[in-house]
Amino acid sequence: MNYSDIHIQLRQWYKSFGRHDLPWRKTNDPYVIYISEMMLQQTQVKTVLDRFFFPFLKRFPTLESIKASSIDEILHAWQGLGYYRRARYIHACAQIASPSLPTDPKELVKLPGIGKSTAHAIAAFSKHYPVAVLDANVKRILYRFFAKTEAKERELWKMAEILLDHEEPYIYNQAMMDLGATVCLPKSPKCEICPFASRCMGRESPMNYPQKRVLKKRPIKQKKIAVLQCGTKLFMRKRKTELLGGLWEFPEMEDLDLPVGNALHKIVQEYTHFKLEAELFLLQTKKSDHMTDGEWIDIASFGKLATSTLEKKILKVLFETDTH
DNA sequence: CATGCGTGGGT
DNA sequence: TACCCAAGCAT
């Protein structure tokens, strides 16, 4: 199949309507593009742009600066962005690849946290490699363009490669993501202005592609959280779990063997796979010997630690302190 | 191959 | 409001 006609239409569309002002599009530095791609995994452009991209790169301008830093420092800059294992992968990558990342996709995928999509994006955007980028935007276009209600990952890659514009791969890949983000929208696709409309097999009923997946109920988990206070200091410990690993938290009541009083507050925190209902217990205590798995943190220094959104909410509720 | 992994934007 | 879902990856 020859798609040169829509390749030309896509290039023209991109020239007029592409998101040319995205900052990671104004550089060919593989490291900068890498950071943007890691941040953008499962995360909206607006979030990355408004709050994370610039501060992070100011703090860590090179891969070498990542290598020279601790994971705690990386996590601190990652606070609030979520999926914190990404921060750990970036740190791990720097240990392996510093001073500079490879740009061959086959080398990139060997690095921790870099899959095929991210590898292709770095290669395509920094060196104009003729490889297809496959993100959520592109996937939605492919489902509709080929009128597929469902497809395995392997099939999606095959479709992506079939449609790739080998003459202008860089423009094509950027344009596809922009088209998905601004025209081929999940809820209300704007087919009337789409450069692919003439050959899109899903044109008549784009909402049928892909088929909606059945949503699962998220379980509710309950937790009693102990905020131990001694003067101006609070007891905190570092999480070693996969969820929120490396971030500082307040301990659970059941880990402390303390009498349960009345909860002061209830906080609800939504995660991907469950909803947490946390009851807060503020307890005035003395620093005691049996609590050796954590540290006493001055309330004024709370902001120096990397914490999750839940901990920030707790501090705000109990002490009306905003850490930012 | 299905699931776990965070948070917040958009409707 | 409630719900979907976003420049994915590892296990």
Side-chain angles (χ1 to χ4, degrees), chain A residues 212-274:
Chain A
K212 275 186 289 191
R213 55 188 176 78
V214 288
L215 60 101
K216 273 179 208 158
K217 273 291 189 184
R218 274 181 308 181
I220 297 175
K221 294 187 182 178
Q222 321 261 355
K223 249 187 189 179
K224 299 184 195 304
I225 294 179
V227 180
L228 305 184
Q229 183 174 17
C230 179
T232 61
K233 291 179 185 297
L234 307 176
F235 184 75
M236 300 190 77
R237 63 188 183 185
K238 198 190 281 192
R239 288 182 68 99
K240 296 185 174 69
T241 51
E242 178 63 19
L243 178 74
L244 304 173
L247 300 183
W248 289 77
E249 68 170 5
F250 297 110
E252 286 188 64
M253 288 294 283
E254 63 178 35
D255 293 343
L256 295 178
D257 197 27
L258 290 171
V260 177
N262 292 324
L264 281 175
H265 295 279
K266 192 171 186 178
I267 295 181
V268 175
Q269 178 69 29
E270 305 266 3
Y271 296 97
T272 309
H273 289 282
F274 63 95

Side-chain angles (χ1 to χ4, degrees), chain A residues 55-223:
Chain A
F56 189 96
L57 283 174
K58 185 171 186 187
R59 174 68 183 80
F60 304 106
T62 63
L63 192 65
E64 292 172 281
S65 69
I66 297 276
K67 183 178 182 180
S69 305
S70 68
I71 181 59
D72 301 85
E73 292 173 298
I74 316 289
L75 275 173
H76 191 267
W78 206 265
Q79 281 180 103
L81 190 53
Y83 285 162
Y84 297 93
R85 66 173 93 171
R86 293 181 291 178
R88 302 199 293 272
Y89 288 141
I90 288 170
H91 188 248
C93 260
Q95 309 313 311
I96 299 167
S98 181
S100 62
L101 285 168
T103 52
D104 183 330
K106 286 187 165 38
E107 294 302 314
L108 283 162
V109 289
K110 294 178 185 171
L111 294 168
I114 299 183
K116 191 170 177 180
S117 187
T118 300
H120 282 198
I122 295 169
F125 298 148
S126 69
K127 301 291 182 188
H128 294 213
Y129 262 72
V131 289
V133 168
L134 184 61
D135 65 357
N137 292 309
V138 178
K139 283 180 183 175
R140 191 170 49 254
I141 296 172
L142 294 174
Y143 275 116
R144 287 172 174 164
F145 188 83
F146 292 106
K148 291 279 195 183
T149 54
E150 54 187 3
K152 311 253 184 205
E153 205 68 9
R154 187 176 297 276
E155 303 173 68
L156 284 164
W157 275 109
K158 185 161 261 180
M159 289 189 274
E161 283 151 17
I162 288 172
L163 202 54
L164 175 63
D165 179 355
H166 285 268
E167 289 184 26
E168 294 284 357
Y170 175 88
I171 291 174
Y172 170 87
N173 280 316
Q174 301 283 26
M176 285 291 277
M177 294 197 294
D178 290 359
L179 192 65
T182 64
V183 174
C184 197
L185 300 170
K187 309 237 179 200
S188 51
K190 302 174 181 172
C191 302
E192 66 283 0
I193 61 166
C194 180
F196 284 179
S198 62
R199 296 184 64 177
C200 178
M201 297 172 71
R203 171 75 169 85
E204 296 311 314
S205 54
M207 296 302 287
N208 290 354
Y209 316 103
Q211 193 169 51
K212 275 186 289 191
R213 55 188 176 78
V214 288
L215 60 101
K216 273 179 208 158
K217 273 291 189 184
R218 274 181 308 181
I220 297 175
K221 294 187 182 178
Q222 321 261 355
K223 249 187 189 179

Side-chain angles (χ1 to χ4, degrees), chain A residues 16-49:
Chain A
S16 300
F17 305 112
R19 294 176 294 178
H20 304 291
D21 51 341
L22 294 175
W24 44 86
R25 208 167 272 183
K26 296 177 180 172
T27 179
N28 59 3
D29 181 344
Y31 168 73
V32 174
I33 292 168
Y34 163 63
I35 293 300
S36 75
E37 290 299 328
M38 292 300 289
M39 287 185 169
L40 287 161
Q41 287 176 8
Q42 296 293 285
T43 308
Q44 294 187 339
V45 167
K46 180 175 170 48
T47 301
V48 172
L49 208 48

